[in-house]
Amino acid sequence: MYRLEPIRRRRRPRPPRALLRGADAAFCVLLLLAAAVGGSRAVAGIPALLAAILPPGVTPAQADDSPGAPFVALRLDRPITASRFTPQLLYPLVAHDVPAWLIAHAPAPQPRLRAEPPPPGPPKVAIVIDDLGADLARTDRALALPRPVALSFLPYADATPWLAAEAERAGHDVLVHMPMEAEGEHDPGPLALTVGLAPDEIRRRLDAALQRVPGAVGLNNHMGSRFTAGRDGLIPVAEDLAARHLFFFDSRTTPATQVVAVSHAFGVASTGRDVFLDDEQTATAVDAQLAELEAKARAQGVAIAIGHPHDVTLAALAAWTARAGARGFVLIPLPDAIRLKTEREARLALAGPR
């Protein structure tokens, strides 16, 4: 058994400590003599002496904060602005977003037109009759209109539950005509959605209304010029409709309506009506509004009208729907019209202004 001895490295000989001490003492004496004879000039020459006797890079860099120290000034010919492609330091740098050579070789921008031609095929029309349920005879006349006509029922009317069920069996799309607060002294009816209600109370009233209208595929507002102008009250409505997969058709009782914007934010299908048929209840006025509906459908490809169960309106619609095909129009269900209008509005938004 051999015992391994550790290999020891040979140490370099060190100079005697006495010699180092003598050199240090000599340097100190020399420094004192230089300071005594030369004063401040000798002290100022120390850096030059060290630079001469020491190897390069050993002398540390020293900052000079004297007023006469030289400095570099950069001239800025324009105000400093931030850039997406420039690191934001303590002082933002100036840079171009796009290099000049790329700008020079880029093709000229082509103007995009906001207006677009209507989609191919005949113009399409959807019609909604609301305020139903309170008048049995007029509701029956609305039920006799073609199936694509959507029927919207007041939830508080006594006969609404079985009339709405009958409308669904007849093939109509059924809506809740939800009472909402109006501007002024107008009374929208019991359990209306009003500004200032707590979100839970809004959901409770909405749930009660939906239970009164079986088969509902969506809702539109009854009055609501004040309620639909505020986002806070519409948010719980949109949340509830999104959970139930129902749409929100905006009757557009105010130019300030927020219905479509809030509904789309929560993924709820929504659009607004184009024409009110019977603000003036005369045959001449209703015919004029039907002509306006036709014009909008030709220009846009699709248009939606709202009417009410007035005798003059029901008579005019019975006649118009009977000859719509011969006049070149297609009567479509409301959900299809909402989809087509939403797609058109999205295309226009992408195209931007002229």
Side-chain angles (χ1 to χ4, degrees), residues 124-140:
K124 300 170 180 62
V125 170
I127 296 173
V128 181
I129 303 296
D130 56 25
D131 283 355
L132 295 173
D135 189 313
L136 298 182
R138 290 188 173 94
T139 300
D140 282 340

Side-chain angles (χ1 to χ4, degrees), residues 28-328:
C28 291
V29 170
L30 180 61
L31 180 62
L32 292 174
L33 289 175
V37 176
S40 60
R41 289 178 298 174
V43 176
I46 292 177
L49 176 63
L50 293 177
I53 65 177
L54 294 178
V58 175
T59 305
Q62 297 183 7
D64 187 356
D65 58 354
S66 62
F71 61 91
V72 177
L74 299 178
R75 179 181 176 183
L76 298 178
D77 296 328
R78 56 180 177 174
I80 296 177
T81 57
S83 168
R84 293 184 297 117
F85 299 98
T86 305
Q88 298 304 300
L89 308 176
L90 292 178
Y91 299 96
L93 303 178
V94 178
H96 293 290
D97 286 349
V98 182
W101 64 267
L102 185 58
I103 296 176
H105 291 82
Q110 300 296 323
R112 295 182 295 180
L113 299 179
R114 192 178 192 282
E116 67 168 10
K124 300 170 180 62
V125 170
I127 296 173
V128 181
I129 303 296
D130 56 25
D131 283 355
L132 295 173
D135 189 313
L136 298 182
R138 290 188 173 94
T139 300
D140 282 340
R141 290 182 64 185
L143 284 166
L145 291 171
R147 289 182 177 182
V149 176
L151 305 180
S152 187
F153 291 85
L154 294 165
Y156 55 77
D158 291 338
T160 281
W162 64 268
L163 286 173
E166 182 63 26
E168 184 186 19
R169 283 191 292 268
H172 295 277
D173 286 314
V174 174
L175 284 72
V176 176
H177 198 33
M178 188 68 202
M180 298 182 187
E181 184 179 1
E183 295 287 355
E185 301 299 325
H186 303 285
D187 181 12
L191 294 180
L193 304 183
T194 60
V195 174
L197 282 179
D200 287 344
E201 178 61 18
I202 290 176
R203 295 187 183 94
R204 187 189 72 80
R205 295 188 181 192
L206 184 59
D207 181 68
L210 288 167
Q211 291 185 27
R212 293 275 301 165
V213 186
V217 295
L219 65 80
N220 71 316
N221 50 296
H222 173 54
M223 300 188 186
S225 54
R226 185 179 183 195
F227 185 82
T228 59
R231 299 177 65 89
D232 291 344
L234 290 171
I235 288 174
V237 176
E239 289 176 334
D240 197 80
L241 294 179
R244 300 172 186 264
H245 304 286
L246 304 178
F247 62 77
F248 195 158
F249 176 55
D250 187 5
S251 301
R252 288 189 59 83
T253 55
T254 173
T257 177
Q258 299 292 316
V259 167
V260 175
V262 174
S263 297
H264 286 177
F266 288 88
V268 175
S270 180
T271 194
R273 58 91 190 159
D274 295 287
V275 174
F276 267 132
L277 294 177
D278 47 13
D279 279 343
E280 184 180 344
Q281 298 174 33
T282 65
T284 302
V286 174
D287 288 341
Q289 290 303 98
L290 285 170
E292 176 70 11
L293 177 65
E294 292 180 353
K296 287 184 177 292
R298 288 193 184 97
Q300 302 172 177
V302 59
I304 307 174
I306 289 179
H308 302 89
H310 307 305
D311 290 335
V312 64
T313 306
L314 295 172
L317 284 177
W320 187 88
T321 55
R323 63 177 188 273
R327 293 174 60 82

Side-chain angles (χ1 to χ4, degrees), residues 114-119 296 299-302 338-350:
R114 192 178 192 282
E116 67 168 10
K296 287 184 177 292
Q300 302 172 177
V302 59
I338 292 174
R339 176 181 57 81
L340 292 173
K341 280 197 65 177
T342 302
E343 291 173 354
R344 178 179 182 275
E345 290 161 1
R347 290 195 301 269
L348 292 177
L350 289 174

